[in-house]
């Protein structure tokens, strides 16, 4: 993380490191079932970088990735299923295929935003735990969301901004954004809900 008193080269180095992290995370997540492990490993790496001002070595990173494969696949399935159902519900409400109108559309959109914020908090907690313990990270994220609702809103806002920027830039450049978004999640959570 850029520290006070660093010159522009350190800032450029940090930005390029985060861009590379985003690219590597995206490539590792292309197997779909490896997406959870890729995100867990990247979050742990960002946390390590913020805490120690160095990136973890290759061996510990690979060890984290391998240990996170099975739990990450389950988390990916749960997150994908939940997001799919909520988006399907939003589309059906927007088209008028189901009753409820604008009120239910707004409620469903709020639930989707809360779910996105919860997912972001879980990823940050997972990074704090070295990339392991999805259930514990989820419980910690829930406690954070209950005690500090601003954290949930802030993290959801970071992810919404990242998604908007990803849609506005050329799609091939979107993986670069992933590392910066992950860093932003950690930075915002540290500010709003310190560990």
């Amino acid at each position: 993380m850029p520290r006070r008193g660093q010159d522009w080269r350190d800032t450029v180095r940090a930005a390029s490191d985060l861009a590379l992290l985003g690219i590597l995370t995206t490539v590792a997540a292309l197997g779909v079932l490896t997406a959870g492990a890729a995100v867990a490993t990247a979050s742990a790496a960002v946390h390590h970088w913020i805490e120690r001002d160095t990136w973890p070595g290759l061996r510990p990173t690979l060890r984290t990735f391998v240990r996170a494969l099975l739990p990450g696949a389950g988390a990916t399935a749960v997150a994908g299923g939940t997001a799919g159902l909520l988006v399907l519900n939003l589309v059906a409400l927007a088209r008028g295929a189901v009753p409820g109108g604008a009120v239910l559309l707004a409620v469903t959109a709020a639930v989707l935003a809360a779910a996105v914020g919860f997912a972001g908090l879980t990823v940050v907690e997972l990074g704090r735990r070295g990339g392991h313990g999805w259930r514990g990270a989820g419980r910690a994220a829930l406690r954070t969301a209950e005690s500090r609702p601003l954290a949930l809103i802030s993290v959801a806002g970071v992810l919404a901004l990242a998604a908007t920027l990803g849609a506005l830039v050329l799609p091939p450049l979107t993986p670069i954004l992933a590392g910066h978004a992950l860093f932003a999640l950690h930075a915002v959570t540290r500010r709003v809900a310190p560990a």
Side-chain angles (χ1 to χ4, degrees):
M1 178 167 154
R3 309 283 191 241
R4 217 176 260 183
Q6 292 183 334
D7 68 5
W8 65 271
R9 289 175 293 238
D10 295 321
T11 303
V12 171
R13 185 177 303 115
S16 62
D17 286 349
L18 289 170
L20 180 60
L21 177 72
I23 292 167
L24 292 173
T25 302
T26 302
V27 169
L30 287 177
V32 179
L33 290 178
T34 59
V39 169
T41 304
S43 183
V46 168
H47 179 72
H48 186 278
W49 180 58
I50 290 171
E51 290 292 315
R52 298 185 180 113
D53 203 24
T54 63
W55 291 100
L58 181 61
R59 282 188 183 158
T61 301
L62 289 175
R63 200 170 24 253
T64 300
F65 181 78
V66 169
R67 286 181 56 198
L69 277 171
L70 189 58
T76 300
V78 169
T82 302
L85 287 174
L86 286 170
V87 169
L88 182 66
N89 196 11
L90 276 174
V91 170
L93 284 165
R95 289 186 178 167
V98 294
V103 172
L104 198 52
L105 184 66
V107 169
T108 305
V111 169
L112 180 61
V116 166
F118 174 73
L121 285 174
T122 301
V123 167
V124 171
E125 286 296 334
L126 194 61
R128 290 176 176 172
R129 296 162 184 262
H132 307 293
W134 282 94
R135 285 187 188 151
R139 285 191 290 272
L142 186 59
R143 283 192 301 275
T144 300
E146 289 173 344
S147 65
R148 298 179 188 249
L150 182 59
L152 185 73
I153 295 165
S154 300
V155 168
V158 165
L159 291 172
L161 177 62
T164 302
L165 288 174
L168 294 176
V169 299
L170 293 170
L173 298 178
T174 303
I176 293 171
L177 215 68
H180 291 87
L182 194 54
F183 171 71
L185 287 176
H186 279 268
V188 165
T189 303
R190 288 170 68 88
R191 173 74 62 160
V192 180

